[in-house]
Amino acid sequence: MENKTIGNFFIITSILVLIIPASLRYGIGTDYFSYEIIYNRIAYKDEIDTEPLFWVINYTVSLFDGGVNWVLAISSSIFLVFTYKSFSRNTLVLGVFFSFILLYSDSYNAVRQIIAVAISMYATSFLLNKHKNGIKIFLSLIALGALFHFSCIFSLLILVLLKIKIPRTVGILVFIFFWFFSPVIAGKLLTFPLVEASKYAVYADMDEFSASQELGTGMGFLLQIFPSLIVVFFKEKIFDDSFSQKFFGNSALFLIVIKIMAIHLVILYRFVDSFDFLYVLLLVEMCRNYKKSWFQFCVATISVGIGLLFFEYFLVKGINEIIPYKMIKIL
């Protein structure tokens, strides 16, 4: 009982440590002032197009004249609670570590979407743990997440990744195909009838969204997909059971494909962001059995090392306009 109390104390403390800087910031995060505008318009009863549950948070805070920082505090709390709930006590440390590296900086920018991502991760945990009512709970949580950001609907693809079985050879061939032919596919995608009929058709003529990303040597991108490539090639050695081999093997290949496509069509990065939780779950599983063999230890070390490299890169480059020590607002 005492150990459980101590454990809960450290969990709550760690959540508060992450919530406080996210709440007290001013001007930090790409869309900070956009969220300030959303709050002010809702507070003054102006019409604005935003997701239902995010509108509810803003409206509730406005009743107490709390300001946008209280909106950010509540949003950050929701994101972190669902993130922590996604992992058992055995994997909590790894889960929080990789979530901090891959998701936390996004919570300073894509506030609504990152809540949806955390809910998707929590929903997926019920399927991975083979909960009795896993599919019903999964669908209910995805519906909840969609009320924060529509991109949560994309997570329904998880059900496909759970069902199909892609042999290693086929997976390698799929990777090679998209590596060489993704520019052609990307060029066709924006002219696809369903895309042209959607609100995203307007981006087809904008170079900012339809252009390819400059890669330089391409080493950074290869490092980014390297853990997923390891899984595609060695999933039988990394995961003990056929269920994990199938799901995480499919997930790794899926992450590789969408990241390759996003290089040639920048707008797809928002789609990629919707599945960042899948990368977190994948890395946690790659690290959890690090004591089993030297191979598992090397896989875990590579995963942690690459994660830390990209976290440092995000800070150095000011991704999401998060610049350490820039400005903290005193309430």
Side-chain angles (χ1 to χ4, degrees):
M1 184 66 179
E2 183 179 351
N3 290 337
K4 186 176 181 179
T5 302
I6 294 173
N8 290 334
F9 170 77
F10 280 108
I11 289 173
I12 294 171
T13 302
S14 65
I15 291 177
L16 289 175
V17 167
L18 295 175
I19 289 175
I20 290 172
S23 308
L24 299 182
R25 60 192 169 101
Y26 177 78
I28 300 176
T30 308
D31 290 341
Y32 176 88
F33 293 108
S34 296
Y35 287 112
E36 191 173 54
I37 291 171
I38 291 173
Y39 171 78
N40 289 332
R41 293 191 65 176
I42 292 175
Y44 289 104
K45 308 294 190 299
D46 293 336
E47 289 187 9
I48 191 165
D49 184 21
T50 190
E51 285 75 2
L53 287 184
F54 192 68
W55 185 92
V56 169
I57 293 173
N58 279 268
Y59 179 74
T60 303
V61 171
S62 71
L63 294 177
F64 302 95
D65 197 22
V68 70
N69 286 86
W70 272 106
V71 174
L72 297 175
I74 293 171
S75 300
S76 181
S77 301
I78 296 171
F79 156 65
L80 289 169
V81 166
F82 277 109
T83 297
Y84 274 65
K85 290 288 290 182
S86 299
F87 304 99
S88 66
R89 287 189 175 271
N90 293 332
T91 59
L92 183 60
V93 173
L94 282 171
V96 172
F97 173 74
F98 284 115
S99 296
F100 177 76
I101 286 176
L102 297 172
L103 304 180
Y104 185 66
S105 66
D106 284 344
S107 73
Y108 280 63
N109 175 22
V111 174
R112 294 165 292 177
Q113 185 174 17
I114 204 63
I115 293 175
V117 168
I119 293 174
S120 293
M121 183 160 63
Y122 180 53
T124 303
S125 70
F126 284 92
L127 298 178
L128 297 183
N129 294 327
K130 300 179 181 179
H131 192 279
K132 181 181 178 181
N133 297 312
I135 293 181
K136 291 181 180 178
I137 296 172
F138 173 81
L139 294 174
S140 299
L141 286 169
I142 295 304
L144 174 67
L147 296 176
F148 283 103
H149 199 271
F150 75 96
S151 63
C152 197
I153 298 297
F154 296 147
S155 298
L156 292 174
L157 288 172
I158 295 297
L159 297 174
V160 178
L161 297 177
L162 281 166
K163 292 296 182 183
I164 62 175
K165 184 176 182 179
I166 303 175
R168 179 170 53 189
T169 304
V170 175
I172 294 171
L173 290 175
V174 169
F175 163 66
I176 294 172
F177 174 82
F178 276 93
W179 185 263
F180 287 103
F181 293 101
S182 55
V184 178
I185 299 172
K188 299 291 185 182
L189 189 59
L190 283 179
T191 59
F192 191 67
L194 287 177
V195 176
E196 288 186 328
S198 73
K199 66 179 182 179
Y200 294 103
V202 68
Y203 295 115
D205 297 323
M206 295 183 181
D207 291 339
E208 179 183 357
F209 297 101
S210 60
S212 297
Q213 185 183 32
E214 295 293 334
L215 281 182
T217 64
M219 287 303 298
F221 178 75
L222 285 173
L223 280 175
Q224 188 178 358
I225 66 171
F226 190 59
S228 297
L229 279 174
I230 292 175
V231 172
V232 171
F233 279 85
F234 302 107
K235 58 186 177 182
E236 289 84 3
K237 293 188 67 175
I238 297 173
F239 308 111
D240 295 328
D241 59 282
S242 58
F243 176 81
S244 296
Q245 291 170 10
K246 180 174 68 173
F247 176 73
F248 288 108
N250 293 342
S251 299
L253 181 61
F254 175 70
L255 289 170
I256 291 170
V257 169
I258 62 175
K259 287 176 185 291
I260 291 175
M261 290 298 300
I263 292 175
H264 302 288
L265 203 57
V266 174
I267 191 176
L268 287 178
Y269 271 109
R270 268 304 174 97
F271 180 75
V272 173
D273 291 343
S274 302
F275 290 97
D276 280 347
F277 74 93
L278 205 53
Y279 200 31
V280 172
L281 294 174
L282 181 67
L283 291 173
V284 169
E285 288 299 314
M286 292 175 70
C287 294
R288 68 184 301 180
N289 292 323
Y290 72 94
K291 292 182 179 180
K292 186 177 178 182
S293 67
W294 276 106
F295 177 78
Q296 296 276 28
F297 179 79
C298 291
V299 168
T301 302
I302 291 170
S303 301
V304 171
I306 290 176
L308 290 172
L309 280 174
F310 274 96
F311 181 70
E312 181 66 21
Y313 172 80
F314 291 157
L315 290 182
V316 170
K317 291 293 185 179
I319 303 296
N320 294 321
E321 293 188 12
I322 299 175
I323 303 172
Y325 318 117
K326 176 184 175 184
M327 193 178 299
I328 294 179
K329 183 176 182 179
I330 304 298
L331 298 178

